[in-house]
Amino acid sequence: MEIRRQGKFRIKRDLRARGVPDEQIEAALAETAETVDEAALVRHRIERKLKLTRGEIDDRKIASLYGSLMRAGFAPDLIRRELKALTRAEVPEVEPSE
């Protein structure tokens, strides 16, 4: 998680695609959850994206950031909380697509 800077959902999906058993995935994610701060990873990705952004942060840019972070495998509630904290904008709740 720390090296790839991706969330646990993306890591889990990628490992399943490679044929790693669920028990091993869960054990590895539980072990890394103690040492890796996912909120810090989300903040880092948001700050990096915002540095490259020109102009005002509008709804389109927030939606783009949200989608990017969802594809990276972070939890929706964590993304909304960090986006709201860093952009000072209200982020709408979105249902994750399966």
Side-chain angles (χ1 to χ4, degrees):
M1 287 174 55
E2 192 171 8
I3 293 170
R4 292 179 65 182
R5 297 194 190 280
Q6 294 178 336
K8 62 183 173 186
F9 299 117
R10 174 75 182 265
I11 300 291
K12 186 184 293 188
R13 186 181 69 207
D14 289 350
L15 290 175
R16 276 191 185 142
R18 292 179 183 182
V20 177
D22 284 343
E23 302 83 37
Q24 290 179 350
I25 295 171
E26 294 299 329
L29 289 175
E31 184 179 314
T32 59
E34 297 171 1
T35 60
V36 176
D37 182 15
E38 266 194 295
L41 293 176
V42 171
R43 277 192 302 275
H44 176 72
R45 286 181 76 111
I46 292 170
E47 289 169 354
R48 191 178 73 207
K49 294 270 186 182
L50 290 179
K51 284 181 185 177
L52 301 173
T53 303
R54 293 183 189 176
E56 194 172 315
I57 301 170
D58 58 1
D59 290 341
R60 270 186 45 226
K61 290 179 185 175
I62 291 175
S64 175
L65 274 169
Y66 186 87
S68 171
L69 291 165
M70 285 291 293
R71 285 187 299 276
F74 295 104
D77 57 335
L78 175 63
I79 296 170
R80 277 193 308 278
R81 184 174 57 239
E82 295 302 324
L83 275 173
K84 185 176 180 182
L86 289 174
T87 63
R88 310 291 192 276
E90 195 63 38
V91 180
E93 191 165 323
V94 177
E95 290 295 320
S97 60
E98 294 288 322

